[in-house]
Amino acid sequence: MDRRNIYEGKNMALFEEEMDSNPMVSSLLNKIANYTNLTQGVVEHEADEDSKRKEIKAPRMGTFIGVYLPCLQNILGVILFLRLTWIVGTSGVLESFIIVFMCCACTMLTAISMSAIATNGVTYISPNAAIFKAEDADGETEAMLNNMRVYGTCIIALMAIVVFVGVKYVNKLALVFLSCVILSIFAIYAGVIKTAFDPPDFPICLLGNRTLSRHNFDICAKFIEVNNETVTTKLWSLFCDSPSLNATCDEYFNLNNVTEIQGIPGIASGVLIDNLWSAYTDKGSIVEKKGHPSVTGTEETKVGGLPYVFTDIMTYFTMLVGIYFPSVTGIMAGSNRSGDLRDAQKSIPTGTILAISTTSFICILCLGVFGEAVNGNLVIGMLAWPSPWVIVIGSFFSTCGAGLQSLTGAPRLLQAIARDGIIPFLQVFGHGKANGEPTWALLLTACICEIGILIASLDSVAPILSMFFLMCYMFVNLACAVQTLLCTPNWRPRFKYYHWALSFLGMSLCFALMFICSWYYALIAMLIAGCIYKYIEYRGAEKEWGDGIRGLSLNAARYALLRVEHGPPHTKNWRPQVLVLLNLDSEQVVKHPRLLSFTCQLKAGKGLTIVGSVLQGIYLDKYIEAQKAEENIKSLMGVEKTKGFCQIVVSPSFRDGMSHLIQSAGLGGMTHNTVLMAWPQSWKQTDNPFSWKNFVDTVRETTAAQQALLVAKNIDLFPTNQERFSEGNVDVWWIVHDGGMLMLLPFLLRQHKVWRKCKMRIFTVAQMDDNSIQMKKDLQIFLYHLRLNAEVEVVEMFENDISAFTYEKTLMMEQRSQMLKQMQLSKNEREREAQLIHDRNTASHSAAIVKCDIAAATPEKVQMTWTKEKFIAEKHKNRETNVTNFKDIFNMKPEWGNLNQSNVRRMHTAVKLNGVILNKSQHAQLVLLNMPGPPKNKKGDENYMEFLEVLTEGLNRVLLVRGGGREVITIYS
């Protein structure tokens, strides 16, 4: 369809070219109001609208069904019935209140933070229903656990089937289950009130103040009268060696009386005051009644085998917090269903906070109910009116209700994580039924629940659950506090009762509760969370949702940049912050990938690295190529493991682009102090974008900017990051002092595994008036103070006559420079003719040795690489077309007397120094040497390139180093 037809009949022709990427506001607002994802362009937007009209909308739930009811069911779990009374009986009313208040405050503060985000165990089994029967007392516990495992597995399977069938059935059952739970709670309160005037008959047998277990006897007395005759009871036989009254008995049994008291004396008995304080015990301790008379014997008696009631676990405050905390969790049951809510921004805050308020009120009222399971019966069950079975039914339905809500919310959360690609290996759980129900996620959730059932210990599972709930709540509070403190523009919660201090308090409370519950579980949970975070960071999430960590990083970076801006770093802190200048081909592909390999080896992931390149042209015409170039460079950086930033500049002039990079790359104090580039191998080709002129200007600009310069010659021969040098040398030719760069670079390179086994050698040059022996000693002392291990050698290079070869090199260089200016030929012809001049002179004079009486000059550097064979091949290639043009050139005689003597001296230094370097370092793995600066007179720039060529001729890997004008290494600590 013709795109222009889309806009016919519309009055927005002025904006029609923008509608391909930006939809009209009228259609855009419709999508925003309906919480749907925004499409990229108007065409896709309208097509998406048409497809949405054909879809059947999913049912939308309100606050009560969607949030309040699920949260209430999740919070009112089995711990309320099975463990709260035990916690009160153990820790006392006051400390129990502290436990409940801390846990409820933690969830309430988290709910407030969650509201801000939304708006921007064991069940009791009837003994008669047991499948496994114990043959003796020792197997009773194991039989009970097996019964729990079988029943728990069956129940979890049934609940998973209900959830699989559909959420609507869960919502229908939720009302029934919650009604039973609420009735059970009311039954407890009714029973408590009833104890005020009619306490239940719940006798407990005491020996002294020690509680006795009535499993093996029925009469709570030592002896009884039968037919006017004193007869010992079964209890007597448990403490004595015979039924006779003259038998030898346990000393404590002889000294104390056996009494029977009511286990539930009633609310009016004053027992509440008696139980204000805690009564923590060690594992295996005898349960004793405080304030009851007891006489202790002089001898310690063994209590093993006697019918005392022993504590099965050690109790203390922090352990009780860990056991109780899961009973206040479940506050995210509503937010996990946010996709099914009619108005999530309204329902989640209202429903969650009301559910927490309701359950907190219930739990605090239950603090007046206390006592432990005695004689195999739940005290809370004996309290309930009209029957203990009310508690059995209530605890069962509370477990099922909370389980159904968890099996409904958790798989949806897991499915959302899997579909977002946050954790790659979970992506299989993103699939489900055609209607979107999370089938695979439900299966995984049920399997995790089965693990808890097989453990079959509420006291063991509860602390583990507490850790992960607290970890989750802590991060919710942290996210809200961070977003507020960072003043993120898109953080605009509609929930008006929110404040960052509440989130910070909630986060601190969660963190404290983690270590209060169990410090080792807390450390394990934090380790797991850290591993998950690093895994996500390593693999990379497919979607970017934005996070507070990035905001913190930006603020920390801003703070650090402002601090660094105060002044240059001290020499002790100096390290190369490198700007890597890359050259790209016509397809925006990096020409020399080894340059990034060398950068990685030099930096080892430390400090700043900026990888830059220049595209010639106008940005409006080249922005697509610039994006492609950036993608290619970043991809290569990932392959080469080069950590840094990429910067592409589009400029009409290649030279100006390079200048912009050198001047403006970086930010504030985080700017580069070193430039790394490759030697332009084809610098003699005038149509090359990186010609000798660009190179020399770059050298001058780095010098002006007081930046160090590293030029890698023969970069394609440098090692990759996967290569390893098992031996060899890194040779440093220290000709002039450059601030210590030549000393520092080999040290940094040898930190990388590629160069680690290479030895460092330092060469310096002694001239006529230098004392070579003393120079070597001084250099060794200097290296000792620098704490560098290296071999030292002083090379003597005295003044001598300039060879004929040097003159020929200089003559060829000057002749080519002069003729290129005079001859009006095409670029290709100029290049061929100039090259042939160079080749012919090299071939004809390479074997000649002539001495002249001309004074020698100070050292400098250059190199040539043309051979006689190459000259012959080029000569035959162009013989037919260029014989006439070259005839006069080939017949020219060397006019040595007219040569520029400065160029002669420079060439002499380059030739002489190159010979010395080849003699010592031809087989070195890497040669580092001082890079001479370009001439002040720009007319001699092309000669400068020749000098460098001669200086490095015959070396495989060379790194030319030019310091930035400041010291970069120090002997001080």
Side-chain angles (χ1 to χ4, degrees):
M1 181 178 64
D2 189 354
R3 183 177 296 177
R4 290 176 296 180
N5 295 334
I6 300 175
Y7 310 108
E8 288 182 0
K10 298 184 178 179
N11 297 322
M12 293 293 173
L14 182 62
F15 299 96
E16 64 183 23
E17 292 186 358
E18 312 228 354
M19 292 182 186
D20 287 336
S21 57
N22 303 304
M24 291 294 296
V25 173
S26 57
S27 59
L28 184 70
L29 291 177
N30 185 26
K31 278 215 150 188
I32 295 176
N34 289 283
Y35 299 102
T36 55
N37 292 326
L38 303 180
T39 52
Q40 291 297 320
V42 62
V43 179
E44 296 87 349
H45 180 80
E46 293 177 353
D48 185 67
E49 282 296 311
D50 293 337
S51 64
K52 292 294 183 182
R53 294 189 190 102
K54 299 176 183 178
E55 296 179 0
I56 300 175
K57 291 186 177 180
R60 298 292 182 177
M61 294 180 288
T63 301
F64 182 78
I65 295 294
V67 181
Y68 181 75
L69 187 62
C71 288
L72 203 64
Q73 279 197 305
N74 263 317
I75 298 172
L76 292 178
V78 70
I79 293 180
L80 174 67
F81 297 97
L82 298 186
R83 284 294 180 263
L84 183 58
T85 54
W86 170 69
I87 290 173
V88 176
T90 303
S91 63
V93 176
L94 293 180
E95 292 189 18
S96 298
F97 177 81
I98 295 174
I99 293 174
V100 173
F101 178 79
M102 281 198 309
C103 296
C104 293
C106 177
T107 55
M108 179 61 78
L109 292 171
T110 304
I112 293 174
S113 297
M114 189 173 63
S115 300
I117 293 177
T119 58
N120 186 56
V122 180
T123 60
Y124 180 77
I125 298 178
S126 175
N128 295 328
I131 299 174
F132 299 96
K133 303 292 185 180
E135 296 180 358
D136 50 28
D138 295 335
E140 183 178 353
T141 302
E142 186 62 30
M144 180 186 68
L145 294 178
N146 290 332
N147 289 326
M148 294 175 181
R149 293 184 178 108
V150 172
Y151 280 110
T153 301
C154 296
I155 293 171
I156 195 68
L158 289 174
M159 289 192 296
I161 293 173
V162 172
V163 176
F164 176 78
V165 172
V167 179
K168 61 180 180 180
Y169 297 102
V170 176
N171 292 334
K172 291 178 181 179
L173 290 174
L175 288 172
V176 177
F177 291 164
L178 184 59
S179 300
C180 295
V181 173
I182 293 176
L183 287 175
S184 300
I185 294 172
F186 282 137
I188 296 172
Y189 292 146
V192 172
I193 295 173
K194 179 176 175 293
T195 62
F197 52 87
D198 185 16
D201 184 18
F202 193 62
I204 295 177
C205 188
L206 297 177
L207 174 62
N209 65 347
R210 297 178 179 179
T211 307
L212 299 177
S213 173
R214 304 186 77 157
H215 286 296
N216 299 319
F217 67 93
D218 52 355
I219 299 175
C220 184
K222 293 182 179 181
F223 37 77
I224 58 175
E225 295 289 334
V226 178
N227 297 328
N228 296 323
E229 186 176 342
T230 303
V231 179
T232 59
T233 62
K234 191 174 182 179
L235 178 62
W236 179 280
S237 62
L238 295 175
F239 284 91
C240 302
D241 57 3
S242 70
S244 171
L245 292 174
N246 297 324
T248 303
C249 300
D250 178 78
E251 183 182 12
Y252 189 84
F253 183 77
N254 290 330
L255 295 175
N256 292 275
N257 296 325
V258 176
T259 57
E260 191 173 63
I261 64 172
Q262 285 296 326
I264 303 179
I267 196 171
S269 65
V271 70
L272 183 63
I273 303 299
D274 296 337
N275 285 273
L276 283 177
W277 310 108
S278 62
Y280 299 120
T281 58
D282 294 329
K283 182 179 181 180
S285 300
I286 300 175
V287 177
E288 299 176 344
K289 178 172 175 54
K290 293 183 296 184
H292 207 73
S294 174
V295 179
T296 305
T298 58
E299 299 180 1
E300 292 186 3
T301 58
K302 296 181 179 180
V303 297
L306 299 178
Y308 292 122
V309 176
F310 298 96
T311 56
D312 53 356
I313 59 174
M314 182 174 66
T315 56
Y316 44 92
F317 179 81
T318 57
M319 185 268 285
L320 298 182
V321 174
I323 291 177
Y324 177 73
F325 187 81
S327 68
V328 298
T329 59
I331 62 174
M332 292 187 176
S335 62
N336 291 344
R337 296 176 165 203
S338 58
D340 298 326
L341 299 176
R342 186 183 306 115
D343 187 356
Q345 294 195 28
K346 178 182 178 183
S347 297
I348 291 177
T350 305
T352 305
I353 292 176
L354 282 178
I356 295 175
S357 301
T358 304
T359 53
S360 300
F361 178 74
I362 292 173
C363 292
I364 291 175
L365 286 183
C366 287
L367 292 179
V369 183
F370 45 84
E372 303 182 41
V374 181
N375 298 335
N377 298 309
L378 286 173
V379 173
I380 197 170
M382 300 302 298
L383 273 173
W385 180 87
S387 170
W389 280 99
V390 175
I391 298 304
V392 175
I393 296 172
S395 61
F396 175 76
F397 282 137
S398 71
T399 302
C400 293
L404 283 174
Q405 296 298 341
S406 297
L407 286 175
T408 302
R412 281 166 169 72
L413 183 61
L414 177 60
Q415 185 186 49
I417 294 173
R419 286 181 173 177
D420 288 342
I422 296 174
I423 303 179
F425 69 82
L426 291 179
Q427 290 183 358
V428 65
F429 299 104
H431 305 291
K433 294 193 294 186
N435 60 356
E437 290 295 318
T439 307
W440 291 103
L442 174 62
L443 181 62
L444 177 62
T445 305
C447 292
I448 295 174
C449 294
E450 179 64 18
I451 295 174
I453 292 173
L454 294 177
I455 294 175
S457 174
L458 181 64
D459 297 335
S460 299
V461 174
I464 300 175
L465 296 178
S466 298
M467 288 302 111
F468 290 101
F469 277 119
L470 284 167
M471 183 75 72
C472 177
Y473 298 164
M474 182 179 71
F475 283 125
V476 169
N477 286 292
L478 175 63
C480 287
V482 167
Q483 295 284 5
T484 306
L485 292 174
L486 294 180
C487 300
T488 306
N490 280 311
W491 176 249
R492 302 184 298 273
R494 186 176 287 110
F495 187 70
K496 59 183 179 181
Y497 302 106
Y498 166 76
H499 191 270
W500 69 267
L502 297 177
S503 294
F504 185 79
L505 179 61
M507 179 195 69
S508 303
L509 187 57
C510 289
F511 185 78
L513 283 174
M514 287 178 63
F515 285 89
I516 287 175
C517 294
S518 174
W519 65 268
Y520 47 89
Y521 277 146
L523 293 177
I524 293 173
M526 294 175 68
L527 178 62
I528 294 174
C531 292
I532 293 175
Y533 177 81
K534 296 306 293 184
Y535 173 79
I536 296 173
E537 186 180 54
Y538 173 74
R539 291 298 302 269
E542 292 183 359
K543 296 185 179 181
E544 174 58 48
W545 298 106
D547 56 74
I549 299 298
R550 182 173 178 81
L552 278 176
S553 300
L554 290 173
N555 273 267
R558 172 183 172 274
Y559 175 78
L561 285 173
L562 292 176
R563 290 291 302 271
V564 174
E565 184 72 12
H566 290 169
H570 190 272
T571 304
K572 292 187 293 185
N573 302 323
W574 193 95
R575 66 169 58 248
Q577 315 283 15
V578 181
L579 169 63
V580 185
L581 298 180
L582 294 180
N583 199 14
L584 306 177
D585 60 17
S586 59
E587 298 297 325
Q588 284 75 50
V589 177
V590 177
K591 286 186 176 181
H592 303 293
R594 297 289 178 89
L595 202 59
L596 288 181
S597 302
F598 184 73
T599 303
C600 180
Q601 297 159 20
L602 180 64
K603 300 287 293 179
K606 307 297 183 183
L608 175 70
T609 300
I610 303 174
V611 181
S613 187
V614 176
L615 294 182
Q616 191 167 358
I618 304 300
Y619 181 73
L620 293 178
D621 300 330
K622 292 281 187 177
Y623 69 93
I624 296 179
E625 288 88 341
Q627 293 175 355
K628 181 180 178 181
E630 185 174 0
E631 292 175 359
N632 292 340
I633 292 177
K634 286 184 176 179
S635 176
L636 183 60
M637 291 173 66
V639 172
E640 299 293 342
K641 298 181 179 179
T642 303
K643 298 180 180 180
F645 308 97
C646 177
Q647 188 168 348
I648 303 296
V649 172
V650 180
S651 174
S653 166
F654 188 86
R655 172 84 289 282
D656 291 342
M658 298 296 289
S659 178
H660 294 161
L661 275 177
I662 294 173
Q663 293 180 58
S664 61
L667 179 64
M670 287 297 289
T671 56
H672 60 279
N673 54 31
T674 305
V675 175
L676 173 62
M677 60 193 303
W679 172 263
Q681 297 289 352
S682 55
W683 63 271
K684 295 168 184 169
Q685 300 177 9
T686 56
D687 59 345
N688 182 16
F690 204 99
S691 65
W692 58 269
K693 184 63 176 175
N694 293 335
F695 176 82
V696 177
D697 286 345
T698 301
V699 175
R700 286 196 173 97
E701 287 182 352
T702 56
T703 303
Q706 294 185 333
Q707 297 171 2
L709 177 64
L710 310 178
V711 179
K713 196 167 186 292
N714 301 325
I715 184 61
D716 295 331
L717 299 179
F718 276 57
T720 64
N721 291 330
Q722 288 70 40
E723 295 182 46
R724 305 288 184 274
F725 288 134
S726 59
E727 58 182 1
N729 300 313
V730 175
D731 288 354
V732 177
W733 285 85
W734 191 20
I735 310 301
V736 296
H737 182 57
D738 58 353
M741 278 289 289
L742 280 171
M743 305 292 183
L744 185 63
L745 292 176
F747 170 79
L748 296 176
L749 281 175
R750 293 178 68 242
Q751 306 306 306
H752 196 274
K753 49 193 174 184
V754 173
W755 306 91
R756 189 164 295 157
K757 294 185 179 180
C758 293
K759 295 181 180 179
M760 180 178 172
R761 300 192 303 180
I762 298 180
F763 298 89
T764 189
V765 176
Q767 299 186 49
M768 183 68 68
D769 298 332
D770 295 329
N771 186 335
S772 302
I773 298 176
Q774 187 62 39
M775 282 181 63
K776 184 174 182 178
K777 291 181 180 179
D778 294 342
L779 183 54
Q780 288 174 336
I781 294 174
F782 180 60
L783 292 178
Y784 173 79
H785 288 303
L786 289 177
R787 302 169 298 281
L788 295 176
N789 295 322
E791 296 180 11
V792 175
E793 185 171 346
V794 178
V795 178
E796 294 180 344
M797 194 174 76
F798 300 143
E799 295 182 1
N800 55 8
D801 296 336
I802 299 177
S803 66
F805 180 73
T806 300
Y807 281 106
E808 293 297 331
K809 286 273 190 182
T810 309
L811 177 64
M812 176 274 299
M813 178 181 68
E814 292 190 357
Q815 283 181 346
R816 184 178 66 171
S817 176
Q818 182 179 4
M819 285 187 300
L820 287 179
K821 297 176 182 178
Q822 295 176 352
M823 298 172 63
Q824 300 297 324
L825 301 175
S826 66
K827 290 184 178 180
N828 292 335
E829 289 174 331
R830 283 195 311 229
E831 290 166 5
R832 284 196 297 269
E833 290 176 3
Q835 190 61 56
L836 284 173
I837 293 173
H838 171 277
D839 293 340
R840 185 171 184 271
N841 280 282
T842 302
S844 60
H845 296 284
S846 59
I849 302 176
V850 182
K851 295 184 178 181
C852 299
D853 298 331
I854 302 178
T858 57
E860 296 228 56
K861 318 148 190 174
V862 179
Q863 161 189 0
M864 299 309 301
T865 57
W866 294 98
T867 63
K868 182 177 180 180
E869 290 77 11
K870 186 173 181 180
F871 157 71
I872 295 173
E874 184 71 17
K875 179 178 178 181
H876 285 294
K877 178 180 177 181
N878 300 283
R879 179 177 298 172
E880 296 180 359
T881 58
N882 297 295
V883 169
T884 304
N885 295 335
F886 295 153
K887 184 176 181 180
D888 294 337
I889 298 175
F890 287 159
N891 292 328
M892 291 179 63
K893 301 294 182 181
E895 299 179 2
W896 293 352
N898 296 328
L899 293 178
N900 185 307
Q901 295 305 306
S902 176
N903 288 340
V904 172
R905 291 193 302 272
R906 290 173 184 269
M907 184 64 73
H908 171 69
T909 302
V911 171
K912 186 69 175 178
L913 188 57
N914 175 255
V916 173
I917 294 175
L918 283 177
N919 183 44
K920 297 290 185 179
S921 303
Q922 187 172 13
H923 302 293
Q925 302 292 7
L926 179 65
V927 175
L928 294 86
L929 71 156
N930 292 113
M931 179 180 180
K936 296 181 179 180
N937 185 359
K938 293 185 179 181
K939 294 180 180 180
D941 285 354
E942 65 274 16
N943 300 336
Y944 173 70
M945 299 297 292
E946 291 280 4
F947 295 146
L948 296 182
E949 284 281 8
V950 172
L951 178 64
T952 57
E953 185 176 8
L955 299 174
N956 290 330
R957 305 182 192 94
V958 182
L959 186 67
L960 296 170
V961 180
R962 184 163 176 78
R966 59 163 297 170
E967 295 293 329
V968 300
I969 193 169
T970 178
I971 64 174
Y972 300 106
S973 59

